[in-house]
Amino acid sequence: MAKYFGTDGVRGIANVELTPALAFRIGEALAHSLGELLGRKPKVCIGRDTRISGDMLECAIAAGITSRGGDVWLLGVMPTPAVAYLTKEERMDAGVVISASHNPFEHNGIKIFGGSGYKLDDEREEELEALMDGELPKETPRGGALGRVYDHKAEGCQRYSEHVRACAEGDLSGLRVLFDCANGAASQTARMIFEPLGVQCDFIACAPDGVNINNGCGSTHMETLREKVRAGGYDLGAAFDGDADRCLLCDETGELIDGDDILALLAVWMKEKGALRRGVVATIMSNMGLGGFLRPQGIDVTAVKVGDRHVLEEMLASDSNLGGEQSGHVILTDYATTGDGELTSVRFLSMLAEVQVKASVLRQQVYHYPQKLINVEVPNLVKKQITDVLGVKALEQRAKELFGGDGRINVRPSGTEALVRVMVEGKDPSLVEQMAEEGRKAVEQAAKVLLMSRADY
């Protein structure tokens, strides 16, 4: 079991769990392992979101890399997918992102991309963990063998923005769009992408101050965007998360267009253009309506474990070029190696411009089963054991009895927060509410039992 790396890198409260010392060790391990593998001085780029702790962690990880002979290119505030793109395009040996995505500003994280622009696999992360825990050589580089730090901020944003703009199709100048940048990394690039495309765009939550990232804004807090889009006569609203690797939309009436809707509509558009390969890769958390909408149109849907990493793995294995999650991670492998919120918006706007149909009309084509998601607070030290408790394991059979095949329950620990997520969906909304409440109680009781059995709690 991984000690430091979770489903999306190393996460924690900044300066408490994710300390400068830990960031330094990650930098050391990364530079040493790359140097051993390549037989030369490695090159690593670092980007971050707008959290106040980003400065501290950027300095720490850069110090760790240079102390082991690696050179560092600082990209500054930049979306996660921009770092992935530049890692590959600039022929870096690795790319590091300092971000906790959609989480509150107190949190932060460190995730790493390999030279190909894809996130490191489990085996590579385990190698880094072993180095961090004492397997690094005691003798360190000295003199001219130390690494250097280079500033690549301005050029990096420009290169990435040009790339995303090049993914647009058609004339977007007739579209009026309101963008919510979550006071995060998209604040640095959104104007550079959408204004030159001719989109009639306005921006909210685009003034980061280090502590307002995701605070009542962005893809996890859509209320303000939806209200402003509805009142302001916009054609579409687009909300990014803190590191802009995900995107959720709302139509001109303010109604939500979630990740499942985006996948469904893009899939049909791409198929009509002859551009869709091998169907769509989604996750077990995707609404049952996604498959119900796409399969009758000859588009297969494959569901994998939650996490954009698992989606991408299946996409690469099956040669699919469209996949993602209900939360708004959409991966378009013809253009990117990871989820990209701004790229998703560009492609969705290209679709709107081409089909000349209002977003609300498109959205209403996709049927959703009634769904309820409950986040139950469970301490990290027991959350991964919740699904092994008898009362929780019995929920799946209980759902089969209650729904009679027209519904389901899914219980899973969050990979990044001290939460267990209970998701229920079915045709009957009242039964969905009943099953969700039973699931919540079962998880809370299981957590109590597990905590009482631990001597260290």
Side-chain angles (χ1 to χ4, degrees):
M1 182 180 295
K3 181 176 180 180
Y4 302 108
F5 287 89
T7 57
D8 197 22
V10 181
R11 292 284 185 93
I13 303 295
N15 216 28
V16 177
E17 297 161 325
L18 182 52
T19 63
L22 180 56
F24 181 87
R25 286 161 58 200
I26 294 171
E28 277 192 301
L30 178 61
H32 176 78
S33 65
L34 287 171
E36 289 287 295
L37 179 67
L38 300 169
R40 59 168 172 79
K41 180 175 285 193
K43 300 185 298 182
V44 181
C45 59
I46 303 176
R48 58 184 175 85
D49 66 22
T50 58
R51 290 163 214 271
I52 193 169
S53 59
D55 294 336
M56 172 186 75
L57 295 172
E58 178 187 71
C59 291
I61 197 165
I65 293 169
T66 53
S67 75
R68 290 286 170 170
D71 287 338
V72 171
W73 272 254
L74 294 181
L75 301 176
V77 173
M78 183 168 287
T80 286
V83 177
Y85 171 75
L86 291 167
T87 298
K88 181 179 179 181
E89 289 300 307
E90 298 288 348
R91 298 184 178 180
M92 295 285 150
D93 300 309
V96 175
V97 178
I98 302 168
S99 173
S101 189
H102 61 283
N103 289 347
F105 86 94
E106 299 93 343
H107 296 248
N108 219 324
I110 294 172
K111 49 190 169 186
I112 303 172
F113 292 92
S116 62
Y118 295 107
K119 291 178 183 176
L120 298 186
D121 59 27
D122 292 340
E123 184 177 350
R124 286 285 288 123
E125 289 181 345
E126 289 171 4
E127 290 174 6
L128 294 182
E129 289 192 348
L131 290 170
M132 291 165 63
D133 279 342
E135 293 186 15
L136 278 169
K138 292 184 179 180
E139 185 176 347
T140 56
R142 61 189 65 187
L146 292 171
R148 299 291 301 272
V149 177
Y150 302 94
D151 190 315
H152 199 61
K153 298 183 182 69
E155 299 90 339
C157 281
Q158 187 62 42
R159 286 284 305 278
Y160 168 71
S161 298
E162 289 172 355
H163 161 66
V164 178
R165 291 199 304 267
C167 299
E169 291 184 45
D171 181 5
L172 308 187
S173 62
L175 296 169
R176 188 161 180 259
V177 185
L178 181 62
F179 294 95
D180 181 339
C181 295
N183 290 315
S187 303
Q188 191 76 8
T189 51
R191 290 184 188 276
M192 297 174 67
I193 291 170
F194 296 102
E195 288 182 345
L197 288 173
V199 179
Q200 301 170 41
C201 45
D202 293 310
F203 301 87
I204 60 174
C206 201
D209 61 10
V211 299
N212 62 359
I213 185 171
N214 300 317
N215 185 12
C217 56
S219 61
T220 51
H221 302 280
M222 296 279 289
E223 301 82 10
T224 299
L225 178 71
R226 293 171 65 182
E227 180 181 340
K228 287 182 178 294
V229 166
R230 182 169 52 246
Y234 292 93
D235 296 303
L236 194 74
F240 309 115
D241 64 339
D243 67 337
D245 68 348
R246 71 171 74 179
C247 165
L248 292 181
L249 307 170
C250 65
D251 65 25
E252 76 280 1
T253 70
E255 290 300 309
L256 177 67
I257 300 175
D258 68 15
D260 287 342
D261 297 324
I262 295 170
L263 288 175
L265 296 173
L266 287 181
V268 172
W269 179 56
M270 289 168 65
K271 184 185 179 187
E272 290 174 350
K273 294 164 66 69
L276 184 68
R277 297 196 309 273
R278 309 290 185 183
V280 173
V281 179
T283 76
I284 56 174
M285 296 294 280
S286 286
N287 195 281
M288 294 166 68
L290 177 64
F293 173 72
L294 289 179
R295 289 190 179 103
Q297 302 186 65
I299 300 174
D300 189 38
V301 178
T302 301
V304 299
K305 290 193 296 183
V306 173
D308 60 326
R309 172 186 295 188
H310 301 300
V311 172
L312 181 59
E313 286 175 354
E314 176 60 29
M315 291 177 70
L316 295 176
S318 63
D319 192 35
S320 171
N321 59 347
L322 177 63
E325 301 184 279
Q326 189 182 68
S327 60
H329 281 119
V330 175
I331 305 176
L332 295 146
T333 52
D334 289 338
Y335 310 100
T337 58
T338 189
D340 189 329
E342 290 169 305
L343 170 63
T344 300
S345 297
V346 162
R347 296 302 295 166
F348 198 91
L349 289 172
S350 297
M351 178 186 67
L352 284 183
E354 181 176 304
V355 301
Q356 294 289 300
V357 176
K358 287 185 178 295
S360 61
V361 176
L362 294 175
R363 176 190 58 79
Q364 290 167 10
Q365 296 175 15
V366 186
Y367 175 74
H368 281 242
Y369 274 56
Q371 190 178 79
K372 179 97 173 180
L373 176 64
I374 297 176
N375 292 320
V376 184
E377 293 187 5
V378 176
N380 283 324
L381 73 164
V382 298
K383 72 178 183 182
K384 292 182 179 179
Q385 302 159 36
I386 285 289
T387 54
D388 294 328
V389 176
L390 188 61
V392 175
K393 292 171 71 173
L395 288 171
E396 187 173 339
Q397 180 59 38
R398 169 63 177 152
K400 289 180 180 178
E401 296 170 356
L402 193 64
F403 291 118
D406 284 327
R408 61 178 179 135
I409 186 169
N410 181 276
V411 179
R412 69 173 187 90
S414 167
T416 59
E417 300 174 82
L419 299 172
V420 170
R421 306 192 195 281
V422 179
M423 188 277 288
V424 181
E425 66 181 7
K427 284 188 175 180
D428 187 330
S430 63
L431 294 182
V432 169
E433 291 288 339
Q434 179 183 333
M435 189 72 245
E437 182 62 18
E438 291 184 23
R440 180 187 64 78
K441 289 180 179 179
V443 169
E444 289 176 344
Q445 181 60 34
K448 289 179 182 178
V449 171
L450 289 170
L451 288 170
M452 288 175 62
S453 68
R454 293 185 65 104
D456 56 349
Y457 186 74

